[in-house]
Amino acid sequence: MTTFSAVSCTHYPFFVIPGFIPLKSHIENSFIVAAKVDKIEPWNAITSNKPTHSFRYYQDQEPYFIYAGESSKPANHLDYEARMQELSDQLYLKFHKTPAFTWHTHDVMTNDSLPFIGSINAQNPNLLIATGFNKWGMTNGVLAGMILSDIVKGKENRYQDMMRPDRPINLEKIKNFFLDGYQNAVSYTKTKLQKNQPFYQDNVKITYENGTRIGIYRDDNGKLHKVCNVCPHMKCNLIFNYLDHTWDCPCHGSRFDIDGNVIEGPAVYNIKLNAKKDK
């Protein structure tokens, strides 16, 4: 009899059960700016204090200085545009440089700082995941490939028990379990109680139509884009992201374009008003 394995490597698993990954982790946003420089210097640095800031050089067609920081849980700073401006201001004040490129990302942070790689639990040994890379995506991505391929082939891997998603609890996990649970509750409550955020401009509005909470964005041509304002994943309300003109979930990081199409999970359903279950 042939045994099959299902491998989910989707940055954040799209399911809640089994595994309960949202209760074992949290999302953290980070912001990055890149400035053109005359030459590459042979050093990089990262701070030891929180919030963490780092810089390094990168050679593309032109040399760049890359500066990253202002990391936080989404619910603590919902205005992404303001966070990016803070980082750009720091780049100029500290290094006398102006960003040529800016971007931001969010990472899945586990409650004991180790990734979840392997069978999701003993009851589902053939369901494999890789997530919670804690901002070490290149390193942990390679490690995930090694562990998952060995499991599928029935081989032992010396890192398998250490990284397994259902590994035993410890004091650090217990402490952060409650912290993550509290933070998720804060994110959920904030979006429920305050529909229209203080940083929203006249082109964004949250309201109700026919009993449905909707988000409205008016583009530069005056066209209205209406979507359901509730994330299909775990029902958090969405926040408008002025950096990318997207609707973002501050609880677990799902993102949708202005017309309601899902562009990043864990949500797998669109938020179009007339097709809530449209994938």
Side-chain angles (χ1 to χ4, degrees):
M1 181 178 177
T2 303
T3 300
F4 294 93
S5 296
V7 182
S8 174
C9 300
T10 56
H11 180 63
Y12 197 127
F14 59 89
F15 48 84
V16 178
I17 302 173
F20 296 101
I21 299 303
L23 301 181
K24 301 177 181 178
S25 61
H26 67 269
I27 292 293
E28 189 166 299
N29 284 341
S30 299
F31 298 82
I32 307 100
V33 292
K36 294 180 180 180
V37 293
D38 294 330
K39 63 177 182 177
I40 296 293
E41 299 290 353
W43 60 72
N44 55 61
I46 186 170
T47 61
S48 59
N49 60 310
K50 298 290 186 177
T52 301
H53 289 79
S54 65
F55 72 81
R56 64 185 178 93
Y57 290 85
Y58 176 74
Q59 181 67 54
D60 195 32
Q61 294 180 348
E62 297 179 85
Y64 288 94
F65 177 83
I66 299 176
Y67 183 53
E70 298 307 308
S71 298
S72 69
K73 296 178 180 179
N76 293 342
H77 298 280
L78 296 174
D79 187 352
Y80 297 173
E81 191 173 40
R83 297 293 280 178
M84 186 65 78
Q85 187 59 54
E86 287 180 27
L87 191 68
S88 298
D89 291 344
Q90 291 178 31
L91 178 71
Y92 184 79
L93 291 173
K94 295 178 180 179
F95 303 100
H96 308 293
K97 303 181 188 302
T98 302
F101 300 99
T102 65
W103 68 97
H104 67 100
T105 183
H106 62 259
D107 296 274
V108 182
M109 313 294 287
T110 63
N111 53 24
D112 63 357
S113 301
L114 290 175
F116 296 135
I117 305 172
S119 300
I120 197 161
N121 56 30
Q123 293 73 40
N124 298 271
N126 297 326
L127 176 57
L128 312 178
I129 66 169
T131 189
F133 289 174
N134 298 282
K135 302 187 181 182
W136 295 92
M138 289 183 286
T139 303
N140 286 326
V142 172
L143 180 62
M146 296 167 57
I147 294 175
L148 295 180
S149 62
D150 282 347
I151 293 175
V152 170
K153 291 184 290 186
K155 297 172 57 178
E156 290 292 325
N157 186 290
R158 59 177 174 169
Y159 303 112
Q160 183 174 335
D161 285 342
M162 183 187 304
M163 304 299 174
R164 67 187 234 205
D166 63 341
R167 53 186 174 262
I169 63 172
N170 54 38
L171 183 60
E172 187 72 8
K173 289 182 69 174
I174 294 173
K175 179 188 73 174
N176 287 321
F177 172 84
F178 288 103
L179 289 176
D180 288 345
Y182 170 76
Q183 187 62 46
N184 284 332
V186 168
S187 301
Y188 184 88
T189 304
K190 272 187 176 182
T191 61
K192 293 294 181 184
L193 295 180
Q194 188 170 29
K195 297 195 302 291
N196 292 288
Q197 299 298 320
F199 60 87
Y200 282 175
Q201 302 166 20
D202 291 340
N203 58 353
V204 171
K205 183 179 180 181
I206 309 298
T207 187
Y208 286 88
E209 285 188 4
N210 300 319
T212 299
R213 177 164 166 152
I214 66 171
I216 304 173
Y217 168 69
R218 187 179 70 250
D219 64 26
D220 293 340
N221 296 319
K223 180 181 178 181
L224 296 181
H225 302 261
K226 297 183 179 182
V227 299
C228 177
N229 188 246
V230 180
C231 182
H233 176 235
M234 291 186 70
K235 308 307 179 184
C236 291
N237 291 119
L238 305 173
I239 301 297
F240 192 76
N241 170 1
Y242 275 100
L243 281 179
D244 305 309
H245 293 85
T246 57
W247 291 99
D248 294 6
C249 175
C251 297
H252 307 110
S254 297
R255 303 180 67 202
F256 309 83
D257 67 20
I258 57 174
D259 293 313
N261 300 299
V262 61
I263 55 179
E264 187 168 357
V268 295
Y269 295 113
N270 296 328
I271 54 170
K272 297 177 181 180
L273 287 177
N274 297 325
K276 294 180 184 178
K277 294 297 183 181
D278 176 35
K279 292 186 179 181

